[in-house]
Every structure is written in C-alpha cells, then in structure tokens.
C-alpha cells in the first residue's frame, strides 16, 4: 500500500500523467537517436560521431534521463522506497534486455546508473538475466506502461 504525501493527493493524476509522458518522450528521443527504422530495427548510422560506443552511450543516456527526469517527477509525492523499487525495476529490465539481445555493446559497468544498481543489488548482476528475451523496443513500451499501472 502506498501512502501519498498530503501535498500531492490533489495532483497525483497530473503527476502520473507527467511521468508517463516523460517516459514516452524519453523513449522516442532514444529511438530517434538510435534507430533509422524502428519497425525493422535498422540502426541509424551515427555519421560524424567521433566518440566510440555511440549506441551504448545513447542507451546509458536513456536510462539516466528516464531515472532522473521522469521518475524524478514523483520524488516529492511517493515514499522513497517505492520510487527506488520502480527505478531499480526499470534499470534491471532495460539492462537485461540490452545484454540478452546483445545490443549496442552496452556494458552496465560503464554507465553510472546501472553500475550503481548492480552495486546495490549484487544478486541481480548482469549474468543472472534469466530467460527474459523481449526486444528492446517492446521492453521500453512495457516499462513505460507498467510504471503507471
């Protein structure tokens, strides 16, 4: 059972909508930066990029922005433990899906947000991803919808 702070009860629907919209925008921004065609999964050619690991960096940016910006909307309204669990669930799902699908040469140890997650949750290390085999885009969609539910 979640107990809302008193100053948030009137605004919880708006806060939930704002969070959901933020997640959708974050997913769209990530897709635009990474995919030429989301239907086929064809990756965008990052012409002019001089830094290595373009796709891995964009994945880390997506996770970080979603955690800080989108989940941050609810920080003052939900208990810290509840929000921390939602953040951890999001990180775990995205990282596991990325690793299982061998996408983007993503290394969770190089992304501060995922590295912090695995330091807090050593039993949930990247090697214990289990049988989760959802595609990355499907996972983004499900995570975005599941947060509000």
């Amino acid at each position: 059972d979640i107990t809302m702070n008193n100053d948030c009860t009137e605004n919880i629907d708006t806060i939930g909508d704002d969070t959901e919209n933020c997640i959708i925008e974050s997913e769209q921004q990530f897709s635009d930066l990474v995919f030429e065609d989301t239907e086929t999964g064809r990756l965008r050619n990052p012409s002019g990029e001089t830094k290595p690991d373009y796709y891995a960096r964009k994945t880390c940016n997506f996770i970080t922005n979603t955690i800080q910006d989108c989940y941050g909307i609810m920080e003052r309204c939900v208990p810290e433990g509840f929000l921390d669990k939602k953040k951890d669930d999001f990180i775990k799902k995205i990282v596991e899906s990325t690793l299982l699908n061998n996408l983007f040469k993503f290394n969770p140890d190089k992304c501060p947000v995922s590295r912090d997650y695995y330091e807090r949750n050593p039993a949930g290390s990247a090697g214990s991803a289990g049988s989760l085999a959802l595609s990355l885009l499907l996972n983004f969609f499900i995570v975005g919808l599941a947060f509000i539910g």
Side-chain angles (χ1 to χ4, degrees):
D1 216 10
I2 302 170
T3 306
M4 298 292 172
N5 294 335
N6 288 337
D7 63 335
C8 296
T9 53
E10 293 177 21
N11 299 321
I12 195 63
D13 289 336
T14 302
I15 291 167
D17 290 345
D18 290 349
T19 301
E20 180 178 17
N21 290 335
C22 181
I23 291 169
I24 290 168
E25 287 174 21
S26 185
E27 292 169 0
Q28 186 61 53
Q29 180 181 23
F30 173 78
S31 292
D32 291 347
L33 291 169
V34 171
F35 295 101
E36 184 71 34
D37 183 352
T38 56
E39 301 237 348
T40 64
R42 185 177 49 208
L43 295 176
R44 181 173 301 287
N45 181 2
S47 60
E49 262 305 308
T50 57
K51 294 181 182 178
D53 303 319
Y54 174 82
Y55 303 109
R57 286 186 290 111
K58 297 307 171 195
T59 301
C60 180
N61 291 345
F62 166 68
I63 295 169
T64 302
N65 292 341
T66 303
I67 293 299
Q68 291 176 349
D69 298 341
C70 302
Y71 287 88
I73 293 169
M74 300 191 88
E75 279 183 345
R76 65 179 177 77
C77 292
V78 296
E80 186 176 329
F82 174 79
L83 191 57
D84 289 344
K85 171 118 176 60
K86 288 292 187 185
K87 290 177 181 180
D88 283 353
D89 289 348
F90 175 82
I91 294 166
K92 181 180 178 184
K93 286 178 183 179
I94 298 303
V95 170
E96 287 182 353
S97 178
T98 303
L99 293 175
L100 278 172
N101 291 299
N102 197 24
L103 295 171
F104 314 137
K105 298 180 182 177
F106 181 75
N107 180 344
D109 291 332
K110 290 185 178 181
C111 180
V113 174
S114 58
R115 183 179 56 238
D116 291 348
Y117 165 78
Y118 285 116
E119 287 173 1
R120 287 191 316 275
N121 300 285
S125 69
S128 65
S131 62
L132 179 64
L134 298 174
S135 73
L136 186 60
L137 288 177
L138 179 58
N139 210 346
F140 292 159
F141 179 74
I142 290 169
V143 170
L145 293 179
F147 177 80
I148 301 306

